[in-house]
Structures are given as C-alpha cells and as structure tokens.
Amino acid sequence: MRRSLLLAAAVLSVGCAKKDAAPAAETAAAMAAPMAEAPTPAFSLADAAGTWDYTAKSATGDTVLVTGELTGSADPGGWTMTFKGRKPEPMRVTVSGDSLLTMMGPYESALRKGVQVSTEGSMHMVNGRLEGHTVAHYATKSADSVRHLVFEATRKP
C-alpha cells in the first residue's frame, strides 16, 4: 500500500510540475535569433575576377612599400601578381569561407634586391575592394627575415 501511495505521489508531482523552463528558453532563443548577424557570404573567385591595382603597406604604418597589379580569375590557377617593371608572378589561391587564401614564391623580393621571398596571406571582399594581410618570409639568416604587410586592392575600370 505504501508503495502505491509513493508511486501515485511521484506521478502526480511530475504531472503537475511547472513546464515554464523549456518554453522560456525557447522564447529567449527565438527573440535572439532575429538579432543575430546574417552569415557572411562565401568568397567567390568569379566575383574577384579581373584586374586590380594593389598596395602593400607596413603593418605598423601608412607607408606604401609595394604597388602593382593583381589579376584574378574564376579559375584558381589563373591568379598573378605583377610588380612594377617585372613579369607576372603566379599566385596560388584557395577559398575558405569568406576568405581568399594566397601563397606565392619563392621569387625575388620587390623590397630586398637579390633576396628570395615567399608570401602567404588572406583577403576579404570589403565594399568592393580586396583587403587583407600578407606575411613575407625572406630566405636570409638575419633576424629580420619575416615582414607583416597590409594589402589593399581596388578593381581597375
């Protein structure tokens, strides 16, 4: 008899328990959803296809160190960077989410005559421009063998 009473009391208490916790959590999540930012669209090689004027600046200042031309295509194998007065250098590109990941080199540095450099970086499309960061790795044994650059490119008409 005691077991029956305990079982009945347990069933009754579970059945009469408030269920506000779950709907409140669901309501809070539903209210927050409209405020969440829209996902950033994936980077599209086709959207970046064309010719761009670029500048590379020191990450610690506004001084333009290198200028030239970037050529992009919808095909990842069709990307090049051309430093003023030089032949185009091939650029390896891949897309990861909203980023264009780049790799170049080794090639002769535009900043350090006779020194080989390899670069890697990432770019994003921001208001119709390409913006990003590049890290240059110089083939030298000096302590100054890495340089961080800020990259900006504007589409040519």
Side-chain angles (χ1 to χ4, degrees):
M1 177 82 169
R2 274 187 161 165
R3 285 186 183 175
S4 297
L5 284 174
L6 286 173
L7 182 60
V11 169
L12 194 68
S13 67
V14 169
C16 294
K18 288 187 176 183
K19 295 182 181 178
D20 290 320
E26 290 172 10
T27 302
M31 289 177 66
M35 293 180 199
E37 292 184 31
T40 305
F43 191 95
S44 167
L45 291 178
D47 289 344
T51 306
W52 302 76
D53 284 323
Y54 79 87
T55 60
K57 300 176 183 178
S58 169
T60 59
D62 290 336
T63 304
V64 174
L65 300 174
V66 179
T67 62
E69 186 175 273
L70 171 71
T71 303
S73 75
D75 173 18
W79 286 70
T80 62
M81 188 171 292
T82 307
F83 300 99
K84 293 206 181 224
R86 293 171 64 174
K87 65 181 179 94
E89 294 289 343
M91 179 182 278
R92 297 176 303 283
V93 299
T94 57
V95 173
S96 179
D98 67 341
S99 301
L100 176 67
L101 306 178
T102 64
M103 292 180 72
M104 290 178 55
Y107 58 92
E108 184 177 346
S109 170
L111 297 175
R112 297 181 182 178
K113 187 173 176 126
V115 176
Q116 293 291 299
V117 66
S118 297
T119 63
E120 55 189 41
S122 66
M123 297 182 224
H124 299 88
M125 187 74 75
V126 179
N127 297 325
R129 294 181 313 171
L130 291 173
E131 297 180 359
H133 297 272
T134 299
V135 178
H137 300 272
Y138 296 93
T140 169
K141 295 182 182 184
S142 73
D144 187 24
S145 63
V146 175
R147 180 173 237 160
H148 296 266
L149 303 167
V150 177
F151 183 96
E152 296 176 8
T154 306
R155 191 184 300 270
K156 283 187 160 187

